[in-house]
Amino acid sequence: MNVIGNTKSLTDIDAQAVAVAIFKGEKADSGLLKNLNAAIGGNIAEAIHSEEFTGKEHETAYFHVNSGKLKFKRLLLVGCGERDSYKSAQVTQMAGTSTRFLRGKNIQNIAIAARSEDDAERVAQTVIVGAVMGLFEPDKYRTKDKEKREIKSITVVIEDADKKAAQRGADRGLIIGESINFTRDMANEPGGYMTPTIMADSAKKVAKEFGLSIDVLDQKQMEKLGMGSLLGVSRGSDEPPKLIIMKYQPPRFRGKKDGLLALVGKGVTFDSGGISLKPGENMELMKYDMTGAATVIGTMRAIAQLKPSVPVLGVAPCTENLPSGKATKPGDVLKAMTGKTIEVINTDAEGRLILADAIAYAKKLGATRIIDMATLTGAVSIALGDVNTAILGTDQGLIDEVIASGVEVGEKFWQLPLDKEYTNQIKSDIADIKNVGGKKAGTITAAAFLKEFSEETPWAHLDIAGTAWGDPATSFRSKGPTGIAVRTLIEFIERSARQ
């Protein structure tokens, strides 16, 4: 796809269709709208005056343009709500709505005027990220009624701006948007097509294409390292586990005060619950229980191209969680890499078991800060729904920076407490700790379990179980995997590089 940062007047844009952001209560009698309205015979003013179009969020109005004054032949107005509430999330959604709508009209070359007051580079980046995300469809295996229409070119229109900055932002937006969609595509794969081995092979391809170093530990290597917690989950499956380690090393790194950041992502490529078998209804969605690992790989894919000046480690423990005669049973005791013993109360609380050894291994490799992400608990959906991602951790500065990075790109995080009293719920009668803490505060006690392995290392945990999957589809996003946290992690890493 070709992306262009254009600083000409919108009325000079040569494209098949143009999408323009409109705000609630806006009139068509000044500035850009006045010129467009005049060029298409007053149709914009008429639509607004009749309240056929009011500018509320995600509302659209589509016009055929028959004017010698304009080069484009179609005009799409996209409602963005109140101007004062028009932030990164709304710009992204406006762009996604534009590409999804216009692709449906078989438009191949479009221009988007987001009308944001941010700097040109940031606006262009945000628009292209949203536009590319809007093009994702989870229809890879559909043989009929598949979306075959393609947008080949997207121009971001930012009048009277620095053209080089606009193009730089558009290029960065394409990298980020494509990496988010890579993550979403990986998360959407059926469990039979995304085994731990296939996931490791995908990571190797990313590493080779974009210049990352990579190592993949097999079962024997994990056994030598004493990763009994991770292997306790994998032993119920015939598919061998993999521990993926990716490393980005910047070419001009001279050592930053924050050291080595590790991203750790849960990679349960299919989760049946093990012996503590899940109900059959909606179990097919457990193919996306590896979204945390996919997020790590997608983020590493992006930063390898964006080239921030700080090193980043990506660690993804990958396994299936299935019932069999070999599977771990409730009541069994596992020994983690750290030597800590774990009583398994419920084999469906497996994500924290594989993350425990992965976090410990990240520390062994020199990580000085750790952010893990996982579709970890159903409890987080009860607490926060699908709007906010839960964040918990041991370092308030780290947590605050993740939240601030999310605000910048339009992703929401809500901090939950992690008081020491919650750790009492995971005390075991027969081992050091147990893997569930009862019905109360399920998301928090899961984090308390992980805290036992991050220990003194600054650490933040993102429970993405409620936000990693979007249902139903919206005007700006398809149903299915959302790619949550990729944008935030990239922003966080680049902020770290600027410090």
Side-chain angles (χ1 to χ4, degrees):
M1 179 188 295
N2 187 33
V3 295
I4 303 166
N6 198 305
T7 56
K8 295 180 181 179
S9 169
L10 184 62
T11 54
D12 294 328
I13 293 298
D14 188 3
Q16 290 177 275
V18 166
V20 179
I22 305 293
F23 304 101
K24 195 171 181 181
E26 190 171 11
K27 305 298 182 183
D29 56 2
S30 63
L32 173 65
L33 288 190
K34 182 178 181 179
N35 294 335
L36 287 174
N37 184 56
I40 66 171
N43 288 338
I44 297 175
E46 175 61 27
I48 293 174
H49 178 72
S50 66
E51 298 186 352
E52 181 182 347
F53 178 83
T54 63
K56 66 182 180 181
E57 283 193 67
H58 317 314
E59 188 179 17
T60 56
Y62 189 57
F63 301 93
H64 288 238
V65 178
N66 298 304
S67 171
K69 299 178 182 179
L70 301 174
K71 295 179 181 180
F72 55 88
K73 300 302 180 184
R74 302 289 184 270
L75 173 64
L76 175 68
L77 303 184
V78 181
C80 296
E82 301 290 345
R83 185 183 287 273
D84 291 344
S85 302
Y86 191 53
K87 307 298 182 184
S88 291
Q90 288 71 37
V91 174
T92 301
Q93 292 170 10
M94 178 269 168
T97 298
S98 301
T99 52
R100 290 182 69 79
F101 185 99
L102 292 173
R103 181 181 60 182
K105 300 296 184 182
N106 204 27
I107 302 295
Q108 295 183 337
N109 303 295
I110 73 172
I112 300 175
R115 303 176 72 203
S116 171
E117 296 178 357
D118 285 343
D119 68 87
E121 183 173 351
R122 175 60 73 173
V123 172
Q125 176 178 315
T126 305
V127 168
I128 294 298
V129 168
V132 173
M133 288 179 66
L135 297 176
F136 176 84
E137 292 293 341
D139 60 358
K140 180 177 179 179
Y141 296 104
R142 189 181 297 162
T143 59
K144 295 182 179 180
D145 302 322
K146 186 174 180 177
E147 180 61 71
K148 294 180 180 179
R149 296 172 178 178
E150 179 183 3
I151 289 181
K152 296 180 178 179
S153 175
I154 302 173
T155 299
V156 184
V157 182
I158 310 171
E159 295 186 5
D160 301 321
D162 183 333
K163 186 174 182 179
K164 289 184 178 179
Q167 187 61 53
R168 190 164 56 244
D171 292 339
R172 287 171 51 82
L174 183 61
I175 290 169
I176 296 168
E178 288 182 341
S179 294
I180 293 167
N181 284 354
F182 173 89
T183 300
R184 297 164 81 187
D185 189 57
M186 183 175 279
N188 198 53
E189 285 291 303
Y193 296 158
M194 188 54 66
T195 64
T197 298
I198 295 172
M199 196 161 197
D201 289 342
S202 297
K204 289 176 182 177
K205 290 178 182 177
V206 168
K208 182 178 181 180
E209 182 176 358
F210 299 108
L212 297 165
S213 63
I214 187 166
D215 188 20
V216 178
L217 303 189
D218 61 20
Q219 182 169 328
K220 288 185 178 180
Q221 290 171 301
M222 287 185 263
E223 288 172 351
K224 288 182 180 179
L225 289 165
M227 294 183 174
S229 187
L230 194 164
L231 294 173
V233 176
S234 71
R235 71 190 191 198
S237 172
D238 289 337
E239 290 287 342
K242 302 291 180 182
L243 182 63
I244 302 167
I245 304 102
M246 308 175 81
K247 179 74 177 290
Y248 164 74
Q249 186 67 35
R252 293 180 297 278
F253 178 64
R254 292 185 175 87
K256 295 279 184 179
K257 64 179 182 179
D258 291 326
L260 178 61
L261 170 69
L263 307 178
V264 181
K266 173 187 172 184
V268 178
T269 59
F270 189 81
D271 179 22
S272 72
I275 296 297
S276 306
L277 194 66
K278 292 178 182 290
E281 185 177 3
N282 296 325
M283 194 193 288
E284 71 277 5
L285 294 180
M286 289 301 99
K287 67 181 183 180
Y288 91 105
D289 214 18
M290 36 61 72
T291 302
T295 302
V296 169
I297 297 169
T299 302
M300 298 298 289
R301 180 188 188 277
I303 65 169
Q305 299 173 76
L306 297 172
K307 301 188 184 306
S309 62
V310 292
V312 182
L313 184 69
V315 181
C318 301
T319 179
E320 292 181 335
N321 184 30
L322 297 176
S324 75
K326 300 180 297 180
T328 293
K329 301 173 288 294
D332 284 354
V333 173
L334 306 176
K335 181 181 284 189
M337 179 181 171
T338 60
K340 197 178 292 285
T341 56
I342 304 162
E343 181 186 8
V344 178
I345 303 298
N346 188 321
T347 64
D348 194 25
E350 85 298 331
R352 65 203 73 180
L353 295 175
I354 70 171
L355 287 171
D357 280 334
I359 289 170
Y361 193 66
K363 291 172 58 181
K364 179 180 175 67
L365 294 178
T368 55
R369 293 186 300 166
I370 298 171
I371 302 173
D372 82 72
M373 59 231 64
T375 49
L376 204 66
T377 67
V380 76
S381 297
I382 303 301
L384 299 177
D386 59 0
V387 177
N388 282 273
T389 295
I391 183 169
L392 308 92
T394 58
D395 186 281
Q396 193 59 48
L398 177 60
I399 293 168
D400 289 344
E401 193 64 23
V402 172
I403 294 172
S405 298
V407 170
E408 183 64 34
V409 301
E411 294 185 327
K412 296 181 178 181
F413 296 83
W414 190 268
Q415 185 176 1
L416 296 180
L418 193 56
D419 304 87
K420 62 182 180 180
E421 288 86 352
Y422 292 110
T423 301
N424 294 333
Q425 291 181 227
I426 60 167
K427 289 182 177 179
S428 168
D429 293 333
I430 65 170
D432 295 326
I433 54 176
K434 57 186 179 182
N435 74 328
V436 292
K439 293 183 178 179
K440 297 179 180 179
T443 299
I444 299 172
T445 55
F449 179 93
L450 296 177
K451 179 183 174 183
E452 294 291 307
F453 299 90
S454 65
E455 297 177 322
E456 301 304 316
T457 303
W459 158 78
H461 162 63
L462 313 180
D463 193 335
I464 61 174
T467 51
W469 192 267
D471 186 9
T474 68
S475 65
F476 56 87
R477 187 199 65 212
S478 70
K479 176 181 177 179
T482 64
I484 189 69
V486 174
R487 283 176 286 168
T488 296
L489 294 170
I490 293 168
E491 177 68 19
F492 175 88
I493 291 163
E494 294 197 313
R495 283 179 173 223
S496 297
R498 294 193 292 266
Q499 291 177 355

